[in-house]
Structure formats: structure tokens, C-alpha cells
Amino acid sequence: GESGFWGPAPLGADRQHLCSGAVVKSLLFRFLPFLKWLPRYPVKDWLIGDITSGFSVGIMHLPGGLVGWGTCVHTGLAYALLAGLPPVNGLYSSFYPVFLYFFFGTSRHNSVGPFAVISVMIGSVTDLMVPSDDFMELVNAWPTPSWVSFQVGLGLLQFGFVVTYLSDPLVRGYTTAASVHVLISQLKYVFGVRLGEHSGPLSLFTVSRICTKLPQTNVGTLITSLIAMLVIFVVKILNHKFSSKLPMPIPIELITIIVSTGISYGADLTNKYGISVVGDIPSGLKAPVAPRVDYFARMVGNAFAIAIVGYAICISLGKIFALKHGYKVDSNQELIALGMCNFLGGFFQCFSISCSMSRSLVQESTGGNSQVAGVIASLVILITILKIGELFQQLPKAILAAIIIVNLKGMFKQFKDLSTLWKSNKVDLLIWVMTFVATLLLNLDIGLGVSVAFSLLTVIFRTQMAHYSILGQVSETDIYRDVAKYNKAVEIPGVKIFRSSATVYFANAELYTDALKKKCGFDVDRLIEKKKKALRKLKKHQKKIEKEKEKREKMKGPMLSSLQNPDSDCNGAGISVIDINGSVTEWESQNGNPLPDRGEPTLVSLGLQKPELHTVILDFSSANFVDYVCIKILKNLFRDFHEIEIDVLLVGCHESIITQLEQGNFFSQTITKHQLFASVHDAITHVTKLQGSSPPEPVMVITRLDNHLPGVV
């Protein structure tokens, strides 16, 4: 056609180029990144490490996949196992998405798959939507709308930057609170008690109902859980302590699952001690099934929260590994990759996935260099699904709960953030605490919305609590620093260099003005008011003099005729001689200065004390935009300081700032570009050398450099 996605199509040969093989190749490389790096895969250098890493991560996926359904609901294994949902679905989630990420992902070290926080979010909101009979269908429906509608859609629209609104304190506070939800959800399986389900706001208080059920504790289940937790915890400590000597971490979760399953089968724990087990686990792969589309409308709001949190965790880990190993992660392509993994996985009864920190660290530390390791890991899971899965039918649920609880230790270590943030940044500490409390009390979906809103509010509050400083020159340099913090920085006599740490806009413009006038060392508004009062008084006296002059002119004629007529009475009854100097004398006696001429009156001529300050320099180097209110405030400042005979100079404005000032009609006959300077030192040089002689050259805005210096960007 004549036009397309990229705009109007060019004519002739250019139109053919639009649909050429180069364009198609570029699009394929963009959406299928493996086509770009796989042909250049260094087999000799990377293959052994990827195979070793793949087997290690695959072994870690096994307990994660089996436990996956255990962490997929707010109440742990309740809906997954008691409602008859097989753990094999967790293994599906460890196979299909991991394999698909090889084709779409850009991170070489991320290990995608079941992730407790995402699973808990899905379970908690699913719990509120449908009865338990429809639970499995709705869980299987989550990946399609949530990830395709938001992750793939946002990725195609280049909205990868949305994750920047989830700050690190927010994400860490949120995941810590989610971990508390997971812990509470597993307690009833540790004690072996039956408990009615409750989700939504204030579901945290489920723990109080667990306490009332403690007299009904199944001793066998409790002992099994405690022993498993102790063994897993000790081995994990040993793994960490001897990590440099071990070729790979001891897969204690897998060992625990195998041993406990054997003991459960041999000792018949279910019949003898009433210990609940996983039950039937079908083997083999199932045919794809279309999700229930009639649920989609009810899932949209929560789906967005799930998609954003899953992406935030994934891209955060991806960027950490990319920075460490010197490659780039495409944030928009990662959105598409996660979306496609979840979308296609949804047809194979996978629940939504994200990126696991523990598996990703193992994939990186055991020699993994690419997503070939992910393919190897997915093959390990595939073998388990086809042949080995049914062997775990006698696995006690208490073992799964123990694995979940011990593996939450890493999340609970994030409580150390409180002491770190207390020392470094109180606002970030407030975000962490607010996110944790809101998520804990209001549940995961509502808590995320409240946390994001609060985090955005702190941005406004931070700009309103900006640091305002007066700069001084460091001796014999062109460096200017805050005189309150640097002893070597000295103020220039008669000059105030004022800087704000934040952009000046409508929310803090008045605070900026107040801080500037306060730091001038005298009451600016009071001096302006005194001048206006003196001007009103002067104007009144001038009018009085004008009237007396007019009256004198009128009487001048009769007086002259009287002098010329000797017969007239010189002492002249009825004739008064007006002393025009009377008003002037009165003005001088009150103000100590002669009456100003017709020019603009000065502070001194009005009898007011002129401040020692003669120049104010506004440092705008920290500003990244100016709005209408900022421009209005700047105009008022220039006007007010001009009233008291103080020059105002603007320095450090970026090109975009100058353009916005021009569009806002900031410049006029009284405010010109001669008052703009590229740096503070340029302005100081002008003030000290050319004060009152000639205006400085206006700021030259360079939009293009045709000749670059060699080696300089």
C-alpha cells in the first residue's frame, strides 16, 4: 500500500527496500534474539559450562516445580492439592516457559519459571473470584490475558520504562511482605491442621485462626516438618560456606523429596500417622487447552499488577547480570519474552512465571554463559514429567511446606534493609515500611496499588523538600560549593549564588522564592514595600509642589504690577508670598536627601539604605524542565530585585530549558539573553570585571557539532 506502520511508503526502489530482506531480518533479530547470537555461539568455550549449569538448574527446578502449586495460592497447597490440582502443572511451568525463553529472552543468565511471589498474587486474587470448583480453570486462564495484554503489548509499544516507577525499596518491601503471606499460608501444613480459607484484605489474621487450631496439631506432621526444615537449613549453610570448593550446591531439596517420599512409602505414614501426601501425579504431556475467555474481563486490573511485578523482578536481575558480564539486556524485549512465555505456556496448563533469584544465581555461578543452559534445564524437567513424576505420589505435603519456608530465608534477609535505609535515606525507608505494611494488611493486589501511589507522592514531597544553598568560590578555582558545607568555599562580596537541588515547578515554586529571599540576608519584600511607600510619599510631595508652582505663577502677574506701581501697598494686604522651598525643605528634613529629579528615583535618593548585595545568580544546572508557574515566578524575581537595584543572572540552563523559556515568553526588553550565562564562573567573571559597563554576550546554544575532537564524545 501507499503507507504502512512506519509511515508513508517511498516511491520506486525505496518502496522495495521497505519490504526488503534486510528489514525482515532486522525484525526477526529483534523479536527472536537467539537468531543473532546462536550462530556465533562459542562451542568450545561455553558448551561445557552451559551443560553443567543446565543440569544444576534443572535439578533445582524439580522441587520448585513440585512445590510450585504449593506456592501458587494464598493458602499454600490448599486449593492446589486439596482441590485435586496435580503438582505436575508446576513441572509444566518449569518446562515450557524455560524452553520458550531461549527464543525470546535477551538475558544470558536469568532462570525463569515458578516464582512464589507471583504465584501467591495469582492465588490470592483467584481465591476471591471463583469457587474452588473453578479454581484450576481460572489459574490456567491467568497467563493469557495478563501477560499477552500487558507484557507483550507494553513491550511492542516500547513501554519498558514503566518498571522505573517501581523503586528498589518498593520491590524489596513488597516481596518481603509477600514472603510473610507465603509463610503464614504454609503454617497449617506444618502443624497438620484443617483451616477454612480466607483471602483479601486483612487475610493476614489467618494466623490467629491457626493458633486456635493448635490443640489439634498432628504430631507426626509437625515432627516431619521440623526435621526437614532443620536438615535443609543446615545443608544450605554448608553450601554457602563451602561454595568455592563445591562444583555445584548440594541439591538438598531434591534429596529431601526423594528420601521423604521413600520413607513415606515404606513406613506408610499416611495410614499410621495421618500425614497427608501429594497424591496422584499423572505422567506425560497434556494436549494444549484454550483458557476460559469469559474470565478475562474480571482479571484485567489484577493482571496488570501481576504483569508489572513479574517484569520488575525479571528485568532487575537481568540488568545485574548484564552489568557484571558486560552485555546488554533489552528491557522492551524482556517484556515481550515474558509475555510470550506465559501466553504460550497458558495453553499447556502452566501458571504464570517470572524469574527466580536463587536459580539465576546458580545458573551464573556454575558456569552458565547463555540460555543453552535453560534448554538443558528444560530437558531435565521433561524427562521428569514423562517418566519420574509419578514416583512422588507419596511425598508428604509437610515436606513441601518445609522447603517453601526454608527457602524464604533469603527474602526475610531483606529486613536488614531497614537499618541500611535508616542510615542512608529516610524517605526510601518510609517507602519500604509503607509498602510492607500496606501489602501485609491489604493483601498483594491492593497493597501494590497503594505502595506505588505512595511512592509517587514521595517524589512530589522530595521536590518540595529540596535543599537550597548559597554557593561560594573555592579559592583560586572555578569551582563553587555550598558555603554551609565547605569551609574553603567563600562567598563573592556583593553576590549571592543560589541553587536548588530540585527542578523548580508548580509544586515548589513558592518555596524556591521564599528560600531565595530568606538567604539574601535582608527582608527583600520589606525593602520593596518601603520603596513603594517612599515613592507614594514622593509623588504626593511632587503634586503639592506642582500645585504651589501653579499658584505662584498665577500670582506672579499681580505682584509684578504692584511692584511697578509705587502707589500700591507693597506690604499688600491680601497678597501672600509663597516659599516654594518649603516643601523641599520638609522633604529633606524627613529623608536626609534632596528631592529627586524627574529620573527614576533610587533607594538612596528616597532615603532608604541600599543593600550591599548588587547581584543574584540563579544556578539552574539541576533543572530539567520549566513549567508556566516557574516562568512566572522567575519573571517576578527579576522584577522584584530590579526594584531594589539588584541584577539577576541565570546560569547553567540546558538547551531545552532555554527553548521552554522562549516558548513561555520569558524574554522581553527588561529580561534578555544577556542575563544568561553558561556557568557560574562565567557570570562571576562578568560581574567582577564588567559590572555596569557593557552587557555580556548572550549564551550561545550549540545544537550540532560538525567537528568533534578525536577520542572525545
Side-chain angles (χ1 to χ4, degrees), residues 586-663:
E586 181 183 356
W587 173 266
E588 292 180 351
S589 64
Q590 292 181 4
N591 298 280
N593 295 285
L595 189 69
D597 56 17
R598 292 292 183 178
E600 183 179 355
T602 64
L603 292 173
V604 175
S605 66
L606 292 173
L608 301 175
Q609 183 179 359
K610 184 179 179 180
E612 297 179 358
L613 182 65
H614 57 73
T615 305
V616 170
I617 298 176
L618 304 180
D619 185 357
F620 257 56
S621 58
S622 62
N624 50 32
F625 73 93
V626 290
D627 61 0
Y628 172 79
V629 176
C630 177
I631 294 175
K632 183 178 179 181
I633 288 293
L634 285 177
K635 285 183 177 181
N636 292 341
L637 288 174
F638 273 73
R639 179 201 64 202
D640 291 346
F641 281 106
H642 177 74
E643 286 285 330
I644 54 177
E645 303 167 22
I646 296 177
D647 296 327
V648 181
L649 306 179
L650 206 56
V651 304
C653 295
H654 304 296
E655 177 187 349
S656 59
I657 300 294
I658 297 176
T659 301
Q660 292 170 11
L661 291 174
E662 291 173 338
Q663 294 173 346

Coordinates of all heavy atoms in Angstrom, one line a residue, residues 586-663:
E586 N 11.0 70.5 53.8 CA 10.3 69.4 54.6 C 10.7 68.0 54.1 O 11.0 67.2 55.0 CB 8.8 69.6 54.4 CG 8.0 68.6 55.2 CD 6.5 68.7 55.0 OE1 6.1 69.7 54.3 OE2 5.8 67.9 55.5
W587 N 10.9 67.8 52.8 CA 11.3 66.5 52.3 C 12.7 66.2 52.8 O 13.0 65.1 53.2 CB 11.2 66.5 50.8 CG 11.8 65.2 50.2 CD1 13.0 65.1 49.7 CD2 11.1 64.0 50.0 NE1 13.2 63.8 49.2 CE2 12.0 63.1 49.4 CE3 9.8 63.5 50.3 CZ2 11.7 61.8 49.1 CZ3 9.5 62.3 49.9 CH2 10.4 61.4 49.4
E588 N 13.6 67.1 52.7 CA 15.0 66.9 53.1 C 15.1 66.6 54.6 O 15.9 65.8 55.0 CB 15.8 68.1 52.7 CG 16.0 68.3 51.2 CD 16.9 69.5 50.9 OE1 17.2 70.2 51.8 OE2 17.3 69.6 49.7
S589 N 14.3 67.4 55.4 CA 14.3 67.1 56.8 C 13.9 65.8 57.2 O 14.3 65.2 58.2 CB 13.5 68.2 57.5 OG 12.1 68.1 57.2
Q590 N 12.9 65.2 56.4 CA 12.4 63.9 56.7 C 13.2 62.8 56.2 O 13.3 61.7 56.7 CB 10.9 63.8 56.2 CG 10.0 64.7 56.9 CD 8.5 64.5 56.4 OE1 8.3 63.7 55.5 NE2 7.6 65.3 56.9
N591 N 13.9 63.0 55.0 CA 14.6 61.9 54.3 C 16.1 62.1 54.3 O 16.8 61.1 53.9 CB 14.0 61.8 52.9 CG 12.5 61.4 52.9 OD1 12.1 60.3 53.0 ND2 11.7 62.5 52.7
G592 N 16.6 63.3 54.6 CA 18.0 63.4 54.6 C 18.6 63.5 53.2 O 19.8 63.5 53.1
N593 N 17.8 63.6 52.2 CA 18.4 63.7 50.8 C 17.6 64.7 50.0 O 16.4 65.0 50.3 CB 18.2 62.3 50.1 CG 19.1 61.2 50.7 OD1 20.3 61.2 50.6 ND2 18.5 60.4 51.5
P594 N 18.2 65.3 49.0 CA 17.5 66.3 48.2 C 16.4 65.6 47.4 O 16.4 64.4 47.2 CB 18.6 66.8 47.3 CG 19.6 65.7 47.2 CD 19.6 65.1 48.6
L595 N 15.4 66.4 47.0 CA 14.3 65.9 46.2 C 14.8 65.3 44.9 O 15.6 66.0 44.2 CB 13.3 67.0 46.0 CG 12.0 66.6 45.3 CD1 11.2 65.7 46.3 CD2 11.2 67.8 44.9
P596 N 14.5 64.1 44.5 CA 15.0 63.5 43.2 C 14.5 64.3 42.1 O 13.5 65.0 42.1 CB 14.4 62.1 43.2 CG 14.0 61.8 44.7 CD 13.6 63.2 45.2
D597 N 15.3 64.2 41.0 CA 14.9 64.9 39.8 C 13.8 64.0 39.1 O 13.4 63.0 39.6 CB 16.1 65.1 38.8 CG 16.8 63.9 38.5 OD1 16.3 62.8 38.7 OD2 18.0 64.0 38.1
R598 N 13.5 64.4 37.8 CA 12.5 63.6 37.1 C 12.9 62.2 36.7 O 12.1 61.5 36.2 CB 12.1 64.4 35.9 CG 11.4 65.8 36.2 CD 10.0 65.5 36.8 NE 9.3 66.7 37.1 CZ 8.1 66.8 37.6 NH1 7.5 65.7 37.9 NH2 7.5 68.0 37.8
G599 N 14.2 61.8 36.9 CA 14.6 60.5 36.5 C 14.1 59.5 37.5 O 13.4 59.8 38.5
E600 N 14.4 58.2 37.3 CA 13.9 57.1 38.2 C 14.6 57.3 39.6 O 15.8 57.3 39.7 CB 14.2 55.7 37.6 CG 13.7 54.6 38.4 CD 14.0 53.2 37.8 OE1 14.6 53.2 36.7 OE2 13.7 52.2 38.5
P601 N 13.8 57.3 40.6 CA 14.4 57.5 42.0 C 15.1 56.3 42.4 O 14.7 55.2 42.1 CB 13.1 57.8 42.8 CG 12.0 57.2 42.1 CD 12.3 57.3 40.6
T602 N 16.2 56.5 43.2 CA 17.0 55.4 43.7 C 16.6 55.2 45.2 O 16.0 56.0 45.8 CB 18.5 55.7 43.5 OG1 18.8 56.8 44.3 CG2 18.8 55.9 42.1
L603 N 17.1 54.1 45.7 CA 16.9 53.8 47.1 C 17.5 54.9 48.0 O 16.9 55.4 49.0 CB 17.5 52.5 47.5 CG 16.8 51.2 46.9 CD1 17.6 50.0 47.3 CD2 15.4 51.1 47.5
V604 N 18.8 55.3 47.6 CA 19.5 56.4 48.4 C 18.7 57.7 48.3 O 18.5 58.4 49.3 CB 20.9 56.5 47.9 CG1 21.6 57.7 48.6 CG2 21.7 55.2 48.1
S605 N 18.3 58.1 47.1 CA 17.5 59.3 46.9 C 16.2 59.3 47.7 O 15.7 60.4 48.0 CB 17.3 59.6 45.4 OG 16.4 58.7 44.9
L606 N 15.7 58.1 47.9 CA 14.4 58.0 48.6 C 14.7 57.9 50.1 O 13.7 57.7 50.9 CB 13.6 56.8 48.2 CG 13.1 56.9 46.7 CD1 12.5 55.5 46.3 CD2 12.0 58.0 46.6
G607 N 15.9 58.0 50.5 CA 16.2 57.9 52.0 C 16.2 56.5 52.5 O 16.1 56.4 53.7
L608 N 16.4 55.5 51.7 CA 16.4 54.1 52.1 C 17.9 53.6 52.0 O 18.7 54.1 51.2 CB 15.5 53.3 51.2 CG 14.0 53.7 51.2 CD1 13.3 52.8 50.2 CD2 13.4 53.5 52.6
Q609 N 18.2 52.7 52.9 CA 19.5 52.1 52.9 C 19.6 51.1 51.7 O 18.9 50.1 51.7 CB 19.8 51.4 54.2 CG 21.2 50.9 54.3 CD 21.5 50.2 55.7 OE1 20.6 50.2 56.5 NE2 22.7 49.7 55.8
K610 N 20.6 51.2 50.9 CA 20.8 50.3 49.8 C 21.6 49.1 50.3 O 22.6 49.2 51.0 CB 21.6 51.0 48.7 CG 21.8 50.1 47.5 CD 22.6 50.8 46.4 CE 22.8 49.9 45.2 NZ 23.6 50.6 44.1
P611 N 21.1 47.9 50.0 CA 21.8 46.7 50.5 C 23.1 46.5 49.8 O 23.4 47.0 48.7 CB 20.8 45.5 50.0 CG 20.0 46.1 48.9 CD 19.9 47.6 49.2
E612 N 24.0 45.8 50.5 CA 25.4 45.6 50.0 C 25.3 44.6 48.8 O 26.2 44.6 48.0 CB 26.3 45.0 51.1 CG 26.5 45.9 52.3 CD 27.4 45.3 53.3 OE1 27.7 44.1 53.1 OE2 27.7 45.9 54.3
L613 N 24.3 43.9 48.7 CA 24.1 42.9 47.6 C 23.8 43.7 46.3 O 22.9 44.5 46.2 CB 23.0 41.9 47.9 CG 22.7 40.8 46.9 CD1 23.8 39.9 46.8 CD2 21.4 40.1 47.3
H614 N 24.5 43.4 45.2 CA 24.2 44.0 43.9 C 23.9 43.0 42.8 O 23.4 43.4 41.8 CB 25.4 44.9 43.5 CG 26.7 44.1 43.4 ND1 27.0 43.3 42.3 CD2 27.8 44.1 44.2 CE1 28.2 42.8 42.5 NE2 28.8 43.3 43.6
T615 N 24.2 41.7 43.0 CA 23.9 40.7 42.0 C 23.4 39.4 42.6 O 24.0 38.9 43.6 CB 25.1 40.4 41.1 OG1 25.6 41.6 40.6 CG2 24.8 39.5 40.0
V616 N 22.4 38.8 42.0 CA 21.9 37.5 42.4 C 22.0 36.6 41.2 O 21.6 36.9 40.1 CB 20.4 37.5 42.9 CG1 19.9 36.1 43.0 CG2 20.3 38.3 44.2
I617 N 22.7 35.4 41.4 CA 22.9 34.5 40.3 C 22.1 33.2 40.7 O 22.3 32.6 41.7 CB 24.4 34.1 40.2 CG1 25.2 35.4 39.8 CG2 24.6 33.0 39.2 CD1 26.7 35.1 39.8
L618 N 21.2 32.9 39.8 CA 20.3 31.7 40.0 C 20.9 30.5 39.2 O 21.0 30.6 37.9 CB 18.9 32.0 39.5 CG 18.2 33.2 40.2 CD1 16.8 33.3 39.6 CD2 18.2 33.0 41.7
D619 N 21.4 29.5 39.9 CA 22.0 28.3 39.2 C 20.9 27.4 38.9 O 20.3 26.7 39.8 CB 23.0 27.7 40.2 CG 23.8 26.5 39.5 OD1 23.4 26.2 38.4 OD2 24.7 26.0 40.2
F620 N 20.6 27.2 37.6 CA 19.6 26.3 37.1 C 20.2 25.0 36.5 O 19.5 24.4 35.7 CB 18.7 27.0 36.1 CG 17.4 27.5 36.6 CD1 17.3 28.3 37.8 CD2 16.2 27.1 36.1 CE1 16.1 28.7 38.3 CE2 15.0 27.5 36.6 CZ 14.9 28.3 37.7
S621 N 21.4 24.7 36.8 CA 22.0 23.5 36.3 C 21.3 22.2 36.6 O 21.4 21.2 35.9 CB 23.5 23.4 36.7 OG 23.6 23.4 38.1
S622 N 20.6 22.2 37.8 CA 19.9 21.0 38.2 C 18.5 20.8 37.6 O 17.8 19.8 37.8 CB 19.8 20.9 39.7 OG 19.0 22.1 40.2
A623 N 18.0 21.9 36.9 CA 16.7 21.9 36.3 C 16.6 21.1 35.0 O 17.5 21.1 34.2 CB 16.2 23.3 36.0
N624 N 15.6 20.3 34.8 CA 15.4 19.5 33.6 C 14.2 20.0 32.8 O 14.0 19.5 31.7 CB 15.4 18.0 33.8 CG 14.4 17.6 34.9 OD1 13.4 18.3 35.1 ND2 14.7 16.6 35.6
F625 N 13.4 20.9 33.4 CA 12.3 21.5 32.7 C 11.8 22.7 33.4 O 12.1 22.8 34.6 CB 11.1 20.5 32.5 CG 10.4 20.2 33.7 CD1 9.2 20.9 34.1 CD2 10.8 19.2 34.6 CE1 8.5 20.7 35.2 CE2 10.1 18.9 35.8 CZ 8.9 19.7 36.1
V626 N 11.1 23.5 32.8 CA 10.4 24.7 33.4 C 9.0 24.7 33.0 O 8.7 24.5 31.8 CB 11.1 26.0 33.1 CG1 12.4 26.1 33.8 CG2 11.2 26.3 31.6
D627 N 8.1 24.9 33.9 CA 6.6 25.0 33.5 C 6.2 26.4 33.6 O 7.0 27.4 33.8 CB 5.8 24.1 34.4 CG 5.9 24.5 35.9 OD1 6.6 25.4 36.2 OD2 5.2 23.8 36.7
Y628 N 4.9 26.7 33.4 CA 4.3 28.0 33.3 C 4.5 28.7 34.6 O 4.9 29.9 34.7 CB 2.8 27.9 33.0 CG 2.1 29.3 33.1 CD1 2.2 30.2 32.1 CD2 1.3 29.5 34.2 CE1 1.6 31.5 32.2 CE2 0.7 30.7 34.3 CZ 0.8 31.7 33.3 OH 0.1 32.9 33.5
V629 N 4.3 28.0 35.7 CA 4.4 28.6 37.1 C 5.9 29.0 37.3 O 6.2 30.1 37.9 CB 3.9 27.7 38.2 CG1 4.2 28.2 39.5 CG2 2.5 27.3 38.0
C630 N 6.8 28.2 36.9 CA 8.2 28.5 37.1 C 8.6 29.8 36.4 O 9.3 30.6 36.9 CB 9.1 27.3 36.7 SG 10.9 27.6 36.8
I631 N 8.2 29.9 35.1 CA 8.5 31.1 34.3 C 7.9 32.3 34.9 O 8.5 33.4 35.0 CB 8.0 30.9 32.9 CG1 8.7 29.7 32.2 CG2 8.0 32.2 32.1 CD1 8.2 29.4 30.8
K632 N 6.7 32.2 35.5 CA 6.0 33.3 36.1 C 6.8 33.7 37.4 O 7.0 34.9 37.6 CB 4.6 32.9 36.5 CG 3.8 34.1 37.1 CD 2.4 33.6 37.3 CE 1.5 34.7 38.0 NZ 0.2 34.3 38.3
I633 N 7.2 32.8 38.1 CA 8.0 33.0 39.4 C 9.3 33.7 39.0 O 9.7 34.7 39.7 CB 8.2 31.8 40.1 CG1 6.9 31.3 40.8 CG2 9.3 31.9 41.2 CD1 6.4 32.2 41.9
L634 N 10.0 33.3 38.0 CA 11.2 33.9 37.5 C 11.0 35.3 37.1 O 11.8 36.2 37.4 CB 11.9 33.1 36.4 CG 12.5 31.7 36.8 CD1 13.0 31.0 35.6 CD2 13.7 32.0 37.8
K635 N 10.0 35.6 36.4 CA 9.7 37.0 36.0 C 9.5 37.8 37.2 O 10.0 39.0 37.2 CB 8.4 37.0 35.1 CG 8.6 36.5 33.7 CD 7.3 36.6 32.9 CE 7.5 36.2 31.4 NZ 6.3 36.4 30.7
N636 N 8.8 37.3 38.2 CA 8.5 38.1 39.4 C 9.8 38.4 40.1 O 10.0 39.5 40.7 CB 7.5 37.4 40.3 CG 6.1 37.3 39.7 OD1 5.8 38.1 38.8 ND2 5.3 36.4 40.2
L637 N 10.7 37.4 40.2 CA 12.0 37.6 40.9 C 12.8 38.6 40.2 O 13.5 39.5 40.8 CB 12.8 36.3 40.9 CG 12.2 35.2 41.9 CD1 13.0 33.9 41.8 CD2 12.3 35.7 43.3
F638 N 12.9 38.6 38.9 CA 13.7 39.6 38.1 C 13.1 41.0 38.4 O 13.8 41.9 38.5 CB 13.6 39.3 36.6 CG 14.7 38.3 36.1 CD1 14.6 37.0 36.4 CD2 15.7 38.8 35.4 CE1 15.6 36.1 36.0 CE2 16.7 37.9 35.0 CZ 16.7 36.6 35.3
R639 N 11.7 41.1 38.4 CA 11.1 42.4 38.6 C 11.4 42.9 40.0 O 11.7 44.0 40.2 CB 9.6 42.2 38.4 CG 8.8 43.5 38.6 CD 7.3 43.1 38.9 NE 7.2 42.3 40.1 CZ 6.2 41.5 40.4 NH1 5.2 41.4 39.5 NH2 6.1 40.9 41.5
D640 N 11.2 42.0 41.0 CA 11.4 42.4 42.4 C 12.8 42.9 42.7 O 13.0 43.9 43.4 CB 11.0 41.3 43.4 CG 9.5 41.0 43.3 OD1 8.7 41.8 42.8 OD2 9.1 39.9 43.9
F641 N 13.8 42.1 42.2 CA 15.2 42.5 42.5 C 15.6 43.7 41.7 O 16.4 44.5 42.2 CB 16.1 41.3 42.2 CG 16.1 40.3 43.3 CD1 15.5 39.1 43.1 CD2 16.8 40.6 44.5 CE1 15.5 38.1 44.1 CE2 16.8 39.6 45.5 CZ 16.2 38.4 45.3
H642 N 15.0 43.9 40.6 CA 15.2 45.2 39.8 C 14.7 46.4 40.6 O 15.3 47.5 40.5 CB 14.6 45.1 38.4 CG 14.7 46.3 37.6 ND1 15.9 46.7 37.0 CD2 13.8 47.3 37.3 CE1 15.7 47.8 36.4 NE2 14.5 48.2 36.6
E643 N 13.6 46.2 41.3 CA 13.0 47.3 42.1 C 14.0 47.8 43.1 O 14.0 49.0 43.5 CB 11.7 46.8 42.8 CG 10.5 46.7 41.8 CD 10.0 48.0 41.4 OE1 10.1 49.0 42.2 OE2 9.4 48.1 40.3
I644 N 14.8 46.9 43.7 CA 15.8 47.3 44.7 C 17.2 47.3 44.2 O 18.1 47.2 44.9 CB 15.6 46.4 46.0 CG1 15.8 44.9 45.5 CG2 14.3 46.6 46.7 CD1 15.8 43.9 46.7
E645 N 17.3 47.5 42.9 CA 18.6 47.8 42.2 C 19.6 46.6 42.3 O 20.8 46.8 42.6 CB 19.2 49.1 42.8 CG 18.3 50.3 42.6 CD 18.7 51.5 43.4 OE1 19.9 51.5 43.8 OE2 17.9 52.3 43.7
I646 N 19.1 45.4 42.2 CA 19.9 44.2 42.2 C 19.7 43.5 40.9 O 18.6 43.2 40.5 CB 19.5 43.3 43.4 CG1 19.8 44.0 44.7 CG2 20.3 42.0 43.3 CD1 19.4 43.2 45.9
D647 N 20.8 43.2 40.2 CA 20.8 42.5 39.0 C 20.6 41.0 39.2 O 21.1 40.4 40.2 CB 22.1 42.7 38.2 CG 22.3 44.1 37.8 OD1 21.2 44.8 37.5 OD2 23.4 44.6 37.7
V648 N 19.9 40.3 38.3 CA 19.6 38.9 38.4 C 20.2 38.2 37.2 O 19.9 38.7 36.0 CB 18.1 38.5 38.6 CG1 17.9 37.0 38.7 CG2 17.6 39.2 39.8
L649 N 21.0 37.2 37.3 CA 21.6 36.4 36.2 C 21.2 35.0 36.3 O 21.0 34.4 37.5 CB 23.1 36.6 36.2 CG 23.7 38.0 36.2 CD1 25.2 37.9 36.3 CD2 23.2 38.8 35.0
L650 N 21.0 34.3 35.2 CA 20.5 32.9 35.2 C 21.6 32.1 34.5 O 22.1 32.4 33.4 CB 19.2 32.8 34.3 CG 18.3 31.7 34.6 CD1 17.8 31.7 36.0 CD2 17.1 31.8 33.7
V651 N 22.1 31.1 35.2 CA 23.2 30.3 34.7 C 22.9 28.8 34.7 O 22.0 28.3 35.4 CB 24.5 30.5 35.6 CG1 24.8 32.0 35.7 CG2 24.3 29.9 37.0
G652 N 23.6 28.1 33.8 CA 23.5 26.6 33.7 C 22.3 26.1 33.1 O 22.0 24.9 33.2
C653 N 21.6 26.9 32.3 CA 20.4 26.4 31.6 C 20.7 25.5 30.4 O 21.5 25.9 29.6 CB 19.5 27.6 31.1 SG 18.8 28.6 32.5
H654 N 20.1 24.4 30.4 CA 20.3 23.5 29.2 C 19.6 24.0 28.0 O 18.7 24.9 28.1 CB 19.9 22.1 29.5 CG 20.5 21.5 30.8 ND1 21.9 21.2 30.8 CD2 20.0 21.1 32.0 CE1 22.2 20.7 32.0 NE2 21.1 20.6 32.7
E655 N 19.9 23.5 26.9 CA 19.3 24.0 25.6 C 17.7 23.9 25.7 O 17.0 24.8 25.3 CB 19.8 23.2 24.5 CG 19.2 23.5 23.1 CD 19.6 22.6 22.0 OE1 20.5 21.8 22.2 OE2 19.0 22.6 20.9
S656 N 17.3 22.7 26.2 CA 15.8 22.5 26.3 C 15.2 23.6 27.3 O 14.0 24.0 27.0 CB 15.5 21.1 26.8 OG 16.1 20.9 28.1
I657 N 15.9 23.9 28.3 CA 15.3 24.9 29.2 C 15.2 26.3 28.5 O 14.2 27.0 28.7 CB 16.2 25.1 30.5 CG1 16.3 23.7 31.2 CG2 15.7 26.2 31.4 CD1 15.1 23.3 31.8
I658 N 16.2 26.7 27.8 CA 16.2 28.0 27.1 C 15.0 28.0 26.1 O 14.3 29.0 25.9 CB 17.5 28.2 26.4 CG1 18.6 28.4 27.4 CG2 17.5 29.5 25.5 CD1 20.0 28.5 26.8
T659 N 14.8 26.8 25.4 CA 13.7 26.7 24.4 C 12.4 26.9 25.1 O 11.5 27.6 24.6 CB 13.8 25.3 23.7 OG1 15.0 25.2 23.0 CG2 12.7 25.2 22.7
Q660 N 12.2 26.3 26.3 CA 11.0 26.4 27.0 C 10.8 27.8 27.5 O 9.7 28.3 27.6 CB 11.0 25.4 28.2 CG 10.9 23.9 27.7 CD 11.1 23.0 28.9 OE1 11.2 23.3 30.0 NE2 11.4 21.7 28.5
L661 N 11.9 28.5 27.9 CA 11.8 29.9 28.3 C 11.3 30.8 27.2 O 10.5 31.7 27.3 CB 13.1 30.4 28.9 CG 13.6 29.8 30.2 CD1 15.0 30.3 30.5 CD2 12.6 30.2 31.3
E662 N 11.8 30.5 26.0 CA 11.4 31.3 24.8 C 10.0 31.0 24.5 O 9.2 32.0 24.2 CB 12.3 30.9 23.6 CG 13.7 31.3 23.7 CD 14.6 30.8 22.6 OE1 14.2 29.7 22.0 OE2 15.6 31.4 22.3
Q663 N 9.5 29.8 24.5 CA 8.1 29.4 24.3 C 7.2 30.0 25.3 O 6.0 30.3 25.0 CB 8.0 27.9 24.2 CG 8.7 27.3 23.0 CD 8.7 25.8 23.0 OE1 8.3 25.2 24.1 NE2 9.0 25.2 21.9

